[in-house]
Short mmCIF file of all heavy atoms in Angstrom, two decimals:
data_model
loop_
_atom_site.label_atom_id
_atom_site.label_comp_id
_atom_site.label_asym_id
_atom_site.label_seq_id
_atom_site.Cartn_x
_atom_site.Cartn_y
_atom_site.Cartn_z
N MET A 95 91.12 98.64 94.59
CA MET A 95 90.10 98.34 93.61
C MET A 95 90.16 99.33 92.42
O MET A 95 90.15 98.93 91.25
CB MET A 95 88.69 98.40 94.21
CG MET A 95 87.57 98.17 93.22
SD MET A 95 87.77 96.71 92.21
CE MET A 95 87.78 95.44 93.48
N SER A 96 90.28 100.60 92.72
CA SER A 96 90.38 101.60 91.66
C SER A 96 91.67 101.40 90.79
O SER A 96 91.61 101.51 89.56
CB SER A 96 90.48 103.05 92.28
OG SER A 96 89.32 103.33 92.98
N ARG A 97 92.72 101.04 91.41
CA ARG A 97 94.01 100.72 90.67
C ARG A 97 93.83 99.53 89.74
O ARG A 97 94.28 99.58 88.59
CB ARG A 97 95.14 100.50 91.68
CG ARG A 97 96.51 100.72 91.10
CD ARG A 97 97.47 100.70 92.23
NE ARG A 97 97.18 101.83 93.19
CZ ARG A 97 97.33 101.72 94.53
NH1 ARG A 97 97.82 100.63 95.03
NH2 ARG A 97 97.02 102.68 95.35
N LEU A 98 93.20 98.52 90.25
CA LEU A 98 92.93 97.30 89.43
C LEU A 98 92.09 97.65 88.20
O LEU A 98 92.34 97.30 87.05
CB LEU A 98 92.34 96.20 90.27
CG LEU A 98 91.91 94.97 89.51
CD1 LEU A 98 93.17 94.29 88.81
CD2 LEU A 98 91.28 93.89 90.41
N ILE A 99 90.95 98.33 88.48
CA ILE A 99 90.10 98.73 87.35
C ILE A 99 90.84 99.61 86.31
O ILE A 99 90.72 99.37 85.13
CB ILE A 99 88.88 99.47 87.83
CG1 ILE A 99 88.00 98.55 88.75
CG2 ILE A 99 88.03 100.10 86.74
CD1 ILE A 99 86.87 99.19 89.47
N ARG A 100 91.62 100.50 86.80
CA ARG A 100 92.35 101.40 85.96
C ARG A 100 93.30 100.61 85.08
O ARG A 100 93.43 100.82 83.83
CB ARG A 100 93.13 102.44 86.82
CG ARG A 100 93.94 103.37 86.03
CD ARG A 100 94.77 104.29 86.93
NE ARG A 100 95.40 105.35 86.13
CZ ARG A 100 94.92 106.55 85.96
NH1 ARG A 100 93.77 106.92 86.56
NH2 ARG A 100 95.55 107.43 85.23
N LEU A 101 94.08 99.72 85.69
CA LEU A 101 95.11 98.99 84.92
C LEU A 101 94.50 97.98 83.96
O LEU A 101 94.96 97.80 82.83
CB LEU A 101 96.01 98.27 85.89
CG LEU A 101 96.97 99.19 86.69
CD1 LEU A 101 97.65 98.46 87.84
CD2 LEU A 101 97.98 99.83 85.74
N VAL A 102 93.43 97.26 84.38
CA VAL A 102 92.79 96.34 83.44
C VAL A 102 92.16 97.03 82.27
O VAL A 102 92.23 96.56 81.13
CB VAL A 102 91.74 95.47 84.21
CG1 VAL A 102 90.88 94.66 83.27
CG2 VAL A 102 92.43 94.53 85.20
N ASP A 103 91.52 98.18 82.52
CA ASP A 103 90.90 98.96 81.43
C ASP A 103 92.04 99.43 80.49
O ASP A 103 91.87 99.39 79.29
CB ASP A 103 90.16 100.16 81.95
CG ASP A 103 88.81 99.76 82.61
OD1 ASP A 103 88.44 98.63 82.48
OD2 ASP A 103 88.22 100.68 83.27
N ALA A 104 93.12 99.88 81.04
CA ALA A 104 94.28 100.35 80.18
C ALA A 104 94.84 99.17 79.35
O ALA A 104 95.17 99.32 78.15
CB ALA A 104 95.37 100.94 81.04
N LEU A 105 94.94 98.04 79.94
CA LEU A 105 95.45 96.87 79.21
C LEU A 105 94.55 96.54 78.05
O LEU A 105 95.02 96.24 76.93
CB LEU A 105 95.59 95.59 80.14
CG LEU A 105 96.90 95.42 80.87
CD1 LEU A 105 96.81 94.24 81.79
CD2 LEU A 105 98.04 95.27 79.85
N SER A 106 93.24 96.56 78.30
CA SER A 106 92.24 96.28 77.27
C SER A 106 92.34 97.32 76.11
O SER A 106 92.38 96.96 74.94
CB SER A 106 90.82 96.30 77.82
OG SER A 106 89.91 96.11 76.81
N ARG A 107 92.52 98.57 76.50
CA ARG A 107 92.61 99.62 75.52
C ARG A 107 93.90 99.51 74.70
O ARG A 107 93.87 99.61 73.44
CB ARG A 107 92.56 100.96 76.25
CG ARG A 107 92.91 102.19 75.46
CD ARG A 107 92.57 103.51 76.30
NE ARG A 107 93.16 103.45 77.65
CZ ARG A 107 94.37 103.70 77.97
NH1 ARG A 107 95.26 104.05 76.98
NH2 ARG A 107 94.81 103.68 79.19
N LEU A 108 95.01 99.16 75.33
CA LEU A 108 96.23 99.05 74.64
C LEU A 108 96.30 97.82 73.73
O LEU A 108 96.73 97.92 72.58
CB LEU A 108 97.40 98.94 75.69
CG LEU A 108 97.63 100.25 76.48
CD1 LEU A 108 98.54 99.95 77.70
CD2 LEU A 108 98.28 101.31 75.62
N SER A 109 95.84 96.68 74.21
CA SER A 109 95.83 95.46 73.41
C SER A 109 94.85 95.54 72.29
O SER A 109 95.08 94.83 71.26
CB SER A 109 95.54 94.26 74.28
OG SER A 109 94.24 94.32 74.87
N ASN A 110 93.85 96.37 72.34
CA ASN A 110 92.90 96.54 71.19
C ASN A 110 93.38 97.53 70.20
O ASN A 110 92.71 97.80 69.20
CB ASN A 110 91.52 96.95 71.75
CG ASN A 110 90.81 95.85 72.50
OD1 ASN A 110 91.09 94.67 72.21
ND2 ASN A 110 89.97 96.17 73.41
N GLY A 111 94.56 98.13 70.42
CA GLY A 111 95.09 99.04 69.48
C GLY A 111 94.52 100.46 69.57
O GLY A 111 94.73 101.25 68.65
N THR A 112 93.80 100.77 70.69
CA THR A 112 93.19 102.10 70.81
C THR A 112 93.83 102.93 71.89
O THR A 112 93.40 103.94 72.21
CB THR A 112 91.75 101.94 71.15
OG1 THR A 112 91.55 101.21 72.34
CG2 THR A 112 90.94 101.22 69.97
N GLY A 113 94.94 102.40 72.41
CA GLY A 113 95.56 103.04 73.58
C GLY A 113 96.57 104.13 73.17
O GLY A 113 96.86 104.29 72.00
N ALA A 114 97.04 104.87 74.16
CA ALA A 114 97.95 106.00 73.90
C ALA A 114 99.25 105.47 73.32
O ALA A 114 99.86 106.23 72.59
CB ALA A 114 98.29 106.69 75.24
N LEU A 115 99.70 104.27 73.58
CA LEU A 115 100.94 103.79 72.99
C LEU A 115 100.78 103.15 71.63
O LEU A 115 101.66 102.58 71.13
CB LEU A 115 101.61 102.81 73.97
CG LEU A 115 101.88 103.44 75.33
CD1 LEU A 115 102.76 102.43 76.16
CD2 LEU A 115 102.63 104.72 75.20
N ASN A 116 99.59 103.29 71.05
CA ASN A 116 99.42 102.73 69.70
C ASN A 116 99.05 103.80 68.67
O ASN A 116 98.31 103.54 67.72
CB ASN A 116 98.28 101.68 69.74
CG ASN A 116 98.77 100.40 70.47
OD1 ASN A 116 99.40 99.55 69.88
ND2 ASN A 116 98.42 100.36 71.77
N GLY A 117 99.36 105.02 68.96
CA GLY A 117 99.02 106.14 68.06
C GLY A 117 99.38 107.39 68.62
O GLY A 117 100.47 107.60 69.22
N THR A 118 98.50 108.37 68.58
CA THR A 118 98.82 109.68 69.12
C THR A 118 97.68 110.00 70.05
O THR A 118 96.53 109.61 69.94
CB THR A 118 98.89 110.77 68.07
OG1 THR A 118 97.61 110.82 67.37
CG2 THR A 118 99.95 110.47 67.09
N LYS A 119 98.02 110.84 71.11
CA LYS A 119 97.03 111.27 72.05
C LYS A 119 97.55 112.56 72.73
O LYS A 119 98.70 112.71 72.92
CB LYS A 119 96.82 110.22 73.12
CG LYS A 119 95.75 110.59 74.15
CD LYS A 119 95.60 109.48 75.15
CE LYS A 119 94.52 109.81 76.20
NZ LYS A 119 94.40 108.68 77.20
N GLY A 120 96.65 113.45 72.96
CA GLY A 120 96.99 114.62 73.70
C GLY A 120 97.88 115.57 72.90
O GLY A 120 98.55 116.49 73.45
N GLY A 121 97.95 115.39 71.54
CA GLY A 121 98.71 116.36 70.75
C GLY A 121 100.15 115.96 70.59
O GLY A 121 100.92 116.67 69.92
N GLY A 122 100.60 114.84 71.14
CA GLY A 122 102.02 114.45 71.01
C GLY A 122 102.17 113.06 70.47
O GLY A 122 101.33 112.17 70.82
N PRO A 123 103.21 112.79 69.75
CA PRO A 123 103.47 111.41 69.26
C PRO A 123 103.90 110.52 70.39
O PRO A 123 104.60 110.98 71.29
CB PRO A 123 104.58 111.61 68.16
CG PRO A 123 105.26 112.80 68.63
CD PRO A 123 104.30 113.71 69.34
N VAL A 124 103.53 109.28 70.26
CA VAL A 124 104.00 108.30 71.29
C VAL A 124 104.34 107.03 70.56
O VAL A 124 103.90 106.75 69.42
CB VAL A 124 102.83 107.93 72.34
CG1 VAL A 124 102.59 109.14 73.20
CG2 VAL A 124 101.56 107.54 71.66
N PRO A 125 105.17 106.20 71.16
CA PRO A 125 105.59 104.95 70.52
C PRO A 125 104.47 104.04 70.14
O PRO A 125 103.53 103.88 70.93
CB PRO A 125 106.52 104.28 71.52
CG PRO A 125 106.88 105.35 72.47
CD PRO A 125 105.76 106.31 72.50
N ALA A 126 104.44 103.47 68.99
CA ALA A 126 103.37 102.54 68.57
C ALA A 126 103.88 101.16 68.62
O ALA A 126 105.06 100.84 68.32
CB ALA A 126 102.90 102.88 67.22
#
Side-chain angles (χ1 to χ4, degrees):
M95 177 52 62
S96 298
R97 201 167 302 143
L98 177 58
I99 293 172
R100 180 187 188 93
L101 289 170
V102 170
D103 286 350
L105 270 176
S106 175
R107 171 170 48 81
L108 292 165
S109 61
N110 289 333
T112 58
L115 298 189
N116 289 277
T118 60
K119 182 179 179 182
V124 292

